Amino acid sequence: VNLVQIGAFDSGLCTQAQVAVHSGPRHHSLGVGKAAEQQTANMPADLNGYWKMISNDNFEEYLKALEVNIAIRKIATLLKPDKDIVHDGDHIIIKTLSTFKNYNMDFYVGKEFEEDLSGVDDRKCMTTISWEGDKLVCVQKGEIGGRGWTHWVDGDELHLELRAAGAVCKQVFKKT
C-alpha cells in the first residue's frame, strides 16, 4: 500500500518528493495509475530500521587516511557497530552504536551544516547530504580531501561506502 492509497497525500503527510510525484490530478484511494506507481517506485530508499554489521572491508586504511592514531585504529577495527536509522522525509537520524563509542548524525537532506566529528577524528567539517537516485550521498568539506560517504539499500542489506583521501571502506549491514 502506498501513501496515496492510504490517504496520506490528502492529509499532508507526503514528503516533497512524494508531493511532486502526485501533483497531477487528484488520485483516489483506489485505482492509482500505472505512471504514478512507477514514479513512486523511483523515490529515495527507506533507510528506517536497525541494522547489524556483517562486513567491514578496508576500514583500517580509511582510518589511516583520517589520520586516526594507531591505538584507536586497532580498537575500532575490532568493533562491529550497529546502525539505528530514523528516516522521516528529509529529516534523518543515523546512530552508529558500538561498545566503544557511539556517533549520532541528525540532519536534513539538502541542508549544509557544520559537523563535529570529535567522536571520530576530532575535526569539524561542512557537510551536505543529498539523494542521488536511491543513494544517500554525503560530502564532507574540511581538512581531509575527498571525504564523504554513500548509503544505499539492496534487499535487506544496508551498504555504506566511506571515502577519505583516496581510501575507500565498504561496510554492509543486515536489517534485524
Side-chain angles (χ1 to χ4, degrees):
V1 172
N2 67 32
L3 292 172
V4 173
Q5 290 171 317
I6 61 172
F9 179 71
D10 294 332
S11 62
L13 296 175
C14 285
T15 65
Q16 187 175 1
Q18 291 162 330
V19 170
V21 167
H22 301 291
S23 61
R26 192 176 223 34
H27 294 283
H28 298 285
S29 60
L30 298 173
V32 174
K34 224 178 210 181
E37 287 176 5
Q38 288 171 341
Q39 287 176 322
T40 302
N42 293 327
M43 288 190 316
D46 179 7
L47 302 175
N48 278 301
Y50 197 87
W51 307 84
K52 293 189 112 10
M53 179 180 275
I54 58 174
S55 70
N56 189 7
D57 298 327
N58 208 36
F59 190 51
E60 186 162 8
E61 291 304 310
Y62 169 75
L63 293 174
K64 281 181 188 177
L66 293 177
E67 302 169 357
V68 172
N69 77 54
I70 190 166
I72 300 296
R73 282 198 322 261
K74 294 301 177 190
I75 292 168
T77 57
L78 296 174
L79 300 174
K80 292 186 84 157
D82 296 338
K83 297 273 185 187
D84 187 8
I85 302 176
V86 176
H87 175 186
D88 183 17
D90 286 341
H91 184 215
I92 299 176
I93 301 168
I94 301 175
K95 295 178 183 177
T96 303
L97 309 169
S98 77
T99 54
F100 182 63
K101 280 188 180 182
N102 296 330
Y103 183 72
N104 296 328
M105 278 192 85
D106 187 332
F107 60 91
Y108 287 86
V109 175
K111 292 186 181 178
E112 185 177 57
F113 63 97
E114 183 177 63
E115 185 176 6
D116 182 351
L117 295 159
S118 56
V120 181
D121 66 341
D122 297 326
R123 290 188 171 89
K124 290 186 179 184
C125 60
M126 294 308 294
T127 299
T128 305
I129 301 166
S130 58
W131 287 107
E132 292 183 12
D134 61 353
K135 294 183 178 186
L136 190 62
V137 178
C138 172
V139 174
Q140 298 166 313
K141 296 177 188 168
E143 294 176 40
I144 305 290
R147 185 173 186 170
W149 50 258
T150 302
H151 264 303
W152 69 96
V153 175
D154 185 9
D156 64 349
E157 292 181 346
L158 173 71
H159 293 259
L160 173 59
E161 181 182 276
L162 299 160
R163 299 174 300 278
V168 178
C169 169
K170 295 184 179 184
Q171 299 178 340
V172 181
F173 300 80
K174 189 139 185 111
K175 195 166 196 172
T176 60

